[in-house]
Amino acid sequence: MSANAGGILASFDYLDDTLGAIRQLRDGGHTDLTVYAPLPEHHIEEALGYKQGPVRTWTLVGGLTGTATGLAFTTWTAMDWPLVVGGKPILSIPAFVIIMFEMTILFGALATVIGLFINARIPNPRPLVIYDPEYSGGRFGIYAPAAGGSLDDARKILESHNPVELREDTEGAHA
Amino acid sequence: MTDGIKRRDFLKVLGVSGAGASMAGCSTDDVEKLLPYVVPPEEITPGVATWYTSVCGECAAGCGVWVKTREGRAIKVEGNPNHPVSAGALCARGHSAMQGLYDPDRFAGPMLRENGILRPISWDEAETMLTERIQGAGGRVLAITGKTGPTFGELFDNFLSGVGGSRVEYEALSEAPLREATRIAFGRNVAPTYEFAEARMVLSFGADFLESWISPVEHTRGFARMTSTDEYGSKGTFVFLGSRLGLTGANADEWFPIAPGSEAAVALAMANVIARSGGRDAGPYREVLQAYTPESVAAASGLDAESIEELARRFADAAPAVAVGPGYAGHHANATAANLAVLILNHVAGNVGRTVHLRAEDRAAPVAPFTDLQSALGRMSGGDVQVAMVHGANPAYSLPGEANFASAFGQVPFKVSFASTPDETSALADLILPDAHFLEAWGDSNPREGVYSIQQPVMERVPHFDSKQTGDVLLSVAARLGQSLGGATFYEYMRSEIGQIYSDRGLGSDFDTFWRETLKDGVFILPNAGDEQEMLRSPDAALSFDAPGFTGEDREFFLQVLPNSRLADGRHANKPWLQELPDPVSKMTWHSWVEVNRHVAEEMGLETGDMVRVSSPHGAVEVPVYSYPGIREDTVALAMGGGRAGSGRFAVQAAKGSVNVMSLLPAQTEQPSGALVLQSTRVSVEPTGRRYKVATIEGTDQQHDRGIAPAMTLAALTHADDDHAEDDHGEGGHGKLQELQAIGGFVPVETEGRAEDFPLPGAQYGDYDPESNARWAMAIDLDKCTGCSACVTACQSENNVAWTGESQVAMGRDLGWIRLERYYETVDATHAGPVDVRHLPMLCQHCGNAPCEPVCPVYAAYHTPDGLNGQVYNRCVGTRYCANNCPYKVRVYNWYTYQGEEPAFEGLGHAPEPLNWAFNPDVTVRTNGIMEKCSFCVHRIREVEHRAALEDRRIFDGEVVAACQQSCPAEAIVFGNIRDPESRVAQVAQNQRTYRVLNELINTQPAVHYLQKVVLHEVEAGGH
Amino acid sequence: MATATDKHRGSLTHPDVGTYKQVNDEVLKVLSKPGKGWWALLALALAGVGLFFTSWAIQIVKGIGVSGLTSPVGWGVYITTFVFWVGIAHSGTLISAILFLFRAPWRQSVYRMAEAMTVFAVMTAGLFPLIHVGRVWHAYWLIPYPNSRYLWPNFRSPLVWDVFAVTTYFTVSAVFFYLGTIPDTAAARDRATGWRKTFYKVAAMGWRGTDREWHHFGKAYIYLAALATPLVLSVHSVVSWDFAMGIVPGWHATVFAPYFVAGAIFSGVAMVITLAVPIRKIFGWENYLTVKHFDALSKLILLTSLIVLYAYLTEFFMAWYSGEPPERQMFWNRLFGDYWWATWTMLVCNGIVPVLLWFKRVRHSISALFVITIFINIGMWFERFVIIVTSLSHEYAPFAWGVYRPSFVEMGIMVGSFAWFGFWFLLFTRLLPAVAIAELKEVLPLPYRPQAQEGGAD
């Protein structure tokens, strides 16, 4: 896709500029925008029109798997070599519930993390080229890729929201 | 051969005939022929035990024993059921013979002391040296021995008369006063034998006949039969008259705390009452009786006339009854008179010949009393002795300091000791000729006329020690002296002696068969010749029946010197099993203590563990106090056997905290018997302000309303069941109850927790099939149990239970699988009245719903299909959760490795070569970090199961015998399969006295059933 | 993780804190070369760690006997300290997860410290089960693995529940903690130099702060919090069942689970304050850890202390009301027996001292809070000691009653465990931002263009 490689990266000091730029870009039909923020900011998510994500499914499936594993494991090991202790039944379900519970939490939590990594694409080994250290400090950034719409148009819109910096990216090294 | 016991006999026959085969040349030079590997193959089937009969040599009682050997090593001593004295039981001291045999401190061989240092020499050199010295002694040869076997004593005397010497027999614990009294009264120099079982009432004038006096095992058996309650609710009474309750007194129903020295007066006053009211005629003692009326002795004894009168009448009515005593501890300056008075009482009450048996004089020469020894001491210090030989006695330790034995002995130019382990006397000797242990040597015993047992070697001499039985030494020395005493070895000598009796008594013509049979049975019994009715004879010696004088009159306490119920006179001090066996009374181990009345202690601001200085005019010792309700306020008691710093490593260890009470005594002689006076002085007790960390296993002596050891009144027992149901409600009786059963506790069922309730509805024990399996269970009759603690040591020997050392016990880390609990209910020294001390052997209860099992994370504790509470040592990780959760606290933990060659720290339990030879190969030896507990002798159960399987039959009831049960002299323990309604344990479990500890509180469904003690006095509701 | 609604913005931090950049600078400045003081503390901690492992080594070589443990008291200082640390571990996830779900805006400044504390506390607690078993070389037998005989652990044993609960708790807390740090390590990465840069580069996993990352991150964080919350409650319940499942008088009580959870939060929050006070001082974070935060935390302490006190009283009442001699005797023994001093220390520190927190002046005096929380930490250690030791020393069988005295080895390990914890915490303060940078920004005023401020977000 060398035809429309690269993109344009704009940095902003103020949230309202950023939000304005985002909205205008999206109105202008630009897609695949990447917005950098130093904090989780729901205004940005709203502006980008995010909906409920898929991570919760991971959590649910992981948790249920844990429950099932816990039940199956305790039951099987108890039956595998039935040993009586304290006159209690071989299948002491109340005791096994605790194991099941812990397994639910454990599997659920690990599944959630995996879900996060896959969806958020981290760990992300690619070099930080289209990036500004200030994004983790006080600045916001918007990256409009060529693939998402005409760069000239994007530049005009971004400039109109007085960015502190505007950077062309030719190689398209961005994630 | 379907019965296991028979089979065991069969093995013994083989064993014995095997031994017989090698007997021909059974002298020490080729004793190797006794090595089990040259006897028939059955002998050495690996893993199969071989049993030999012998005689216990730990005390003078002469219990017949069976010794269990495995692959040629003796591993356990058990009572010989064929023997009239032991009848299958044995005491703790008997069991500990193993630790005497394998005592790591035994002399490695003959030793010669040269300028203070012992150097090993050969037996040949040694014997030559002894021979020359005796030749040079010109008849000035002296031998000091303890009580010997009859034949050996005879041999020794023959030997000495051959060389013109003489022998003195000395025992600190001597029956001389009793023998002398019997001689005076009936013309027989014997100790009577007492049939407690026949009596309906027992009076003890201070005699501790259950722990130390004459023949404890036999007495305990008889006493238990006397005192236990039969179906018809009749029960013998035991009244104790004395200043201090020992193990014996603690088992009394009533206690008359009479003043020390007043036994004779009280006995005569009672005899007087009985004689006046139609008792037998006192003959020559009529006048004496006149002088002693209840009124006249009331003041001296501290008892009011009425109670004496009343007691006398009860004693007469109860006939046959028996009066015994005073015991060793009561050996005051008028001991013979006191013994005589008691004999008179027995005579007047018509007990002689019924419960008190006089026998013809036995072959065992009466122990010559202290007077002889004193004159011997005189001869020694006078330089009149050239060669002194000491055998089986330790006068340097066991004589009062004032006897100055050491200096007198020091005057002898050549001193020979036959001690097999170092002791205070051998430390003074020039030549040491270590005697063989009684389990390695031949000998015989004649505890009383008519009872003859052969003591045969059960194994080759322990190879670590080049010992030689003294009999053989004497014979070989005699040979070197050119004398022939008959027989080249002691074995031959003894065999011919027995042959002599055989022919004299006209027992038959085939001596060889007789001999083999005797070895097989371990005993042969002849009809008692001399038990006809005796008339009293008039005294031929001056006697005073009044209280004797005491030295140190100005001091406030009488001193009672106790024969130590574990260490006797100290001879067992190097046996850690006994050192760590809790004393039946104080429950203390290892160290000494002085018993002080609890009120007095409080007044003096003393409590258990406070160090006090006990001083008599003759010496002083510092010991911790045991605050004891069971002793008169004007008396303190100290046990013998401490402070054996001159003995082996374990005794030395114990000596750090123990004292030799003999140092408090004067060298006083009782007349006319000439025995050493033990109760001779008064002492003062001063606090030192220091404390001693007492090594006791006791948490508290009160039950705190737990109903651990409840009791029933005889009334409640004989009443209709509905009464007694109320009586023991709430103390583990049979009130119907709703119990949550094993199905996860979801299904409540009604049960009485009785035998027939097994398996409890709902308690299917998971997948186990209740029909197909046994449910091993035990029943312990607390009405019989005396608390003697024989079971504790038996268990220790059977199950390789480690000893841990004083510091550990003081921390609470003793490992006993059986904890003999002792609770004081009614004990009051201030006036005569009922006494109620409860003893309860607490062992793993093998609960059906065991709290210890489910908490173990690794299944080390689990339930076996036959109802045992299994403990898998190898699986144990050591979380100790099971012990925390055990309501009976019977799980013990290996805090260190207590059975290694080396202790983890100085003074901690360990098993150095060859002590570890005593381990039972059928039981795992535990190491650091492992939980252990009573296994119901599971290895014995499995052995019987395998045998039954091989012989394709079911297991007979009573075929499986737990070690504690086997050893119990009181016959208090029953073991078996409670699922079999016919089994004895199932029957006993249905007795109306049966209860299970804590079961109604926490529904553990224990397999151990206890039968409540029955008391004659009223107990508060609930029995505690 | 948009927790703070706009009305909170700026209300919880000092007015001096204006821009996002300032937060980065002030928080990240401490991630630099430590001073002498820090090194001194580290040396002290390492000495303690040495003591810890030396004592343990002695015990392993000689045997568990070097402890003062005995029959009947098979559990003592080790289990006491175990429960103590597990308890400490609770406030972290509580503050982090539960307050997060409840949208409590004041958590931002303290939760990072609390979570770190949780992780290190569990790392400490986790060692004690190993220390206290008699054969530590076989401790792995508690873990289910297919051994040669296919004998699995006994899942009816509360100790096995412990293994599962504690390992789960450690894993989840560690993950939760680590995820939270990612945006901040990214921030650190963007400013650090030298080896630290490499370190943060790896730690940040290439975090850029893009919209996608923030979006999924936020969701995942909520679900983790939702899972962690019941986990917190379950873990200390399971720990309490180590005792409640036993039949020991003084242990066998249904109140134990809530009682222990409350106690855990009580001690944990107290420990947070104990740690936050000096950090606030040393790092000069008065602007971030304001009196408002401490006030909120002390109210939490006050609440839990009331619950704990109520539990104490309930126990005594039930013992009396049950009428069972063993129960009654045991609780009597607690108050007046061999260990009366421990019991009264517990009652005073946990029941009486927190009463001071009713007063606003006390809640607002940082130094007072510091002292009070130290008392609470002591009191909570003794609470566990009392529950374990007094109960075991006077159980059903009176003849087997006994007394337990801790040995030097036990004390060495107990003290050493604090050093072990401190060691990790010291490293934490210098390697990771002890205050959550990104989340702190959420409570700052949004950066709107000055003149456009009225317009806000159009």
Side-chain angles (χ1 to χ4, degrees), chain B residues 587 697-706 708 808 811-814 819-823 842 851 853-859 861 873-881 883-889 891-897 903-905 927-930 998 1001-1002 1004, chain C residues 59-75 78 132-139 141-142 145 147 151-160 241-248 251 324-326 329-330 392 394-403 405:
Chain B
K587 294 296 165 187
I697 67 160
E698 175 185 62
T700 161
D701 53 33
Q702 297 303 311
Q703 295 194 50
H704 290 272
D705 305 328
R706 307 290 213 273
I708 305 283
Q808 298 291 289
M811 285 179 78
R813 288 178 176 177
D814 61 298
R819 179 179 69 242
L820 242 143
E821 304 194 343
R822 188 260 300 111
Y823 296 106
M842 179 58 76
E853 290 167 356
V855 298
C856 177
V858 292
Y859 282 120
Y873 301 133
N874 295 347
R875 181 68 179 165
C876 179
V877 177
T879 67
R880 302 184 294 285
Y881 200 167
N884 291 349
N885 217 31
C886 172
Y888 305 96
K889 288 283 163 279
R891 291 180 155 262
V892 291
Y893 190 68
N894 292 268
W895 300 96
Y896 296 106
T897 296
F905 287 103
T927 58
N928 170 21
I930 291 170
L998 294 176
L1001 188 60
I1002 47 182
T1004 44
Chain C
Q59 175 173 298
I60 291 171
V61 171
K62 279 296 187 176
I64 189 82
V66 297
S67 72
L69 295 167
T70 178
S71 174
V73 186
W75 289 357
Y78 294 149
H132 108 285
V133 297
R135 305 206 293 171
V136 62
W137 47 93
H138 288 323
W141 286 352
L142 271 72
Y145 70 100
N147 54 39
L151 176 60
W152 302 92
N154 172 11
F155 289 107
R156 304 179 194 81
S157 168
L159 295 182
V160 175
W241 292 332
D242 285 348
F243 308 105
M245 289 294 144
I247 62 169
V248 179
W251 283 11
E324 276 187 14
Q329 210 290 333
M330 214 292 303
L392 289 174
H394 275 223
E395 257 205 67
Y396 289 101
F399 200 80
W401 284 351
V403 182
R405 296 255 175 277

Side-chain angles (χ1 to χ4, degrees), chain B residues 990-1001:
Chain B
Q990 296 176 50
N991 185 300
Q992 55 174 336
R993 289 191 286 132
T994 300
Y995 74 102
R996 291 183 294 168
V997 177
L998 294 176
N999 186 44
E1000 293 198 349
L1001 188 60

Side-chain angles (χ1 to χ4, degrees), chain C residues 79-198:
Chain C
I79 300 295
T80 303
T81 318
F82 165 72
V83 181
F84 174 79
W85 282 115
V86 176
I88 294 299
H90 274 60
S91 64
T93 316
L94 174 98
I95 291 173
S96 188
I98 298 183
L99 296 186
F100 175 75
L101 294 179
F102 285 122
R103 299 282 190 267
W106 54 269
R107 80 179 257 283
Q108 262 74 351
S109 327
V110 286
Y111 90 91
R112 172 69 43 79
M113 250 179 282
E115 280 187 0
M117 192 183 77
T118 296
V119 175
F120 303 144
V122 182
M123 281 166 58
T124 316
L127 292 174
F128 278 89
L130 299 177
I131 293 168
H132 108 285
V133 297
R135 305 206 293 171
V136 62
W137 47 93
H138 288 323
Y140 66 93
W141 286 352
L142 271 72
I143 302 162
Y145 70 100
N147 54 39
S148 53
R149 288 169 170 272
Y150 283 92
L151 176 60
W152 302 92
N154 172 11
F155 289 107
R156 304 179 194 81
S157 168
L159 295 182
V160 175
W161 305 348
D162 258 356
V163 173
F164 277 73
V166 173
T167 46
T168 303
Y169 188 56
F170 177 69
T171 319
V172 174
S173 309
V175 167
F176 201 52
F177 171 64
Y178 179 62
L179 280 187
T181 59
I182 288 177
D184 297 355
T185 42
R189 170 201 62 199
D190 295 343
R191 276 145 200 78
T193 55
W195 66 268
R196 283 174 178 275
K197 190 160 191 75
T198 341

Side-chain angles (χ1 to χ4, degrees), chain C residues 86-363:
Chain C
V86 176
I88 294 299
H90 274 60
S91 64
T93 316
L94 174 98
I95 291 173
S96 188
I98 298 183
L99 296 186
F100 175 75
L101 294 179
F102 285 122
R103 299 282 190 267
W106 54 269
R107 80 179 257 283
Q108 262 74 351
S109 327
V110 286
Y111 90 91
R112 172 69 43 79
M113 250 179 282
E115 280 187 0
M117 192 183 77
T118 296
V119 175
F120 303 144
V122 182
M123 281 166 58
T124 316
L127 292 174
F128 278 89
L130 299 177
I131 293 168
H132 108 285
V133 297
R135 305 206 293 171
V136 62
W137 47 93
H138 288 323
Y140 66 93
W141 286 352
L142 271 72
I143 302 162
Y145 70 100
N147 54 39
S148 53
R149 288 169 170 272
Y150 283 92
L151 176 60
W152 302 92
N154 172 11
F155 289 107
R156 304 179 194 81
S157 168
L159 295 182
V160 175
W161 305 348
D162 258 356
V163 173
F164 277 73
V166 173
T167 46
T168 303
Y169 188 56
F170 177 69
T171 319
V172 174
S173 309
V175 167
F176 201 52
F177 171 64
Y178 179 62
L179 280 187
T181 59
I182 288 177
D184 297 355
T185 42
R189 170 201 62 199
D190 295 343
R191 276 145 200 78
T193 55
W195 66 268
R196 283 174 178 275
K197 190 160 191 75
T198 341
F199 171 74
Y200 295 123
K201 212 176 168 129
V202 176
M205 300 201 301
W207 178 271
R208 289 161 165 74
T210 65
D211 52 336
R212 181 199 278 111
E213 287 171 352
W214 278 124
H215 172 69
H216 296 295
F217 185 83
K219 300 293 177 220
Y221 205 83
I222 293 176
Y223 305 136
L224 278 180
L227 286 171
T229 305
L231 179 62
V232 180
L233 303 181
S234 81
V235 170
H236 222 60
S237 303
V238 168
V239 170
S240 79
W241 292 332
D242 285 348
F243 308 105
M245 289 294 144
I247 62 169
V248 179
W251 283 11
H252 192 59
T254 44
V255 72
F256 258 44
Y259 164 25
F260 267 52
V261 172
I265 296 164
F266 182 54
S267 63
V269 176
M271 185 60 101
V272 172
I273 294 185
T274 320
L275 292 172
V277 169
I279 286 178
R280 175 176 188 263
K281 190 110 208 77
I282 295 163
F283 295 159
W285 285 346
E286 287 81 359
N287 295 347
Y288 302 95
L289 296 164
T290 64
V291 170
K292 292 199 183 97
H293 295 106
F294 287 101
D295 183 80
L297 286 169
S298 15
K299 281 177 183 161
L300 195 51
I301 292 181
L302 190 52
L303 171 71
T304 44
S305 86
L306 290 174
I307 301 175
V308 168
L309 183 59
Y310 170 76
Y312 295 162
L313 299 177
T314 316
E315 277 194 304
F316 284 103
F317 172 77
M318 290 313 293
W320 168 78
Y321 190 67
S322 72
E324 276 187 14
E327 286 281 337
R328 289 186 167 185
Q329 210 290 333
M330 214 292 303
F331 279 90
W332 182 264
N333 177 59
R334 245 183 215 184
L335 285 174
F336 309 111
D338 298 319
Y339 298 99
W340 61 269
W341 44 273
T343 312
W344 289 105
T345 315
M346 162 188 104
L347 289 171
V348 170
C349 293
N350 304 346
I352 314 293
V353 173
V355 170
L356 292 168
L357 297 173
W358 284 105
F359 304 103
K360 197 181 187 81
R361 279 186 49 252
V362 179
R363 292 204 303 273

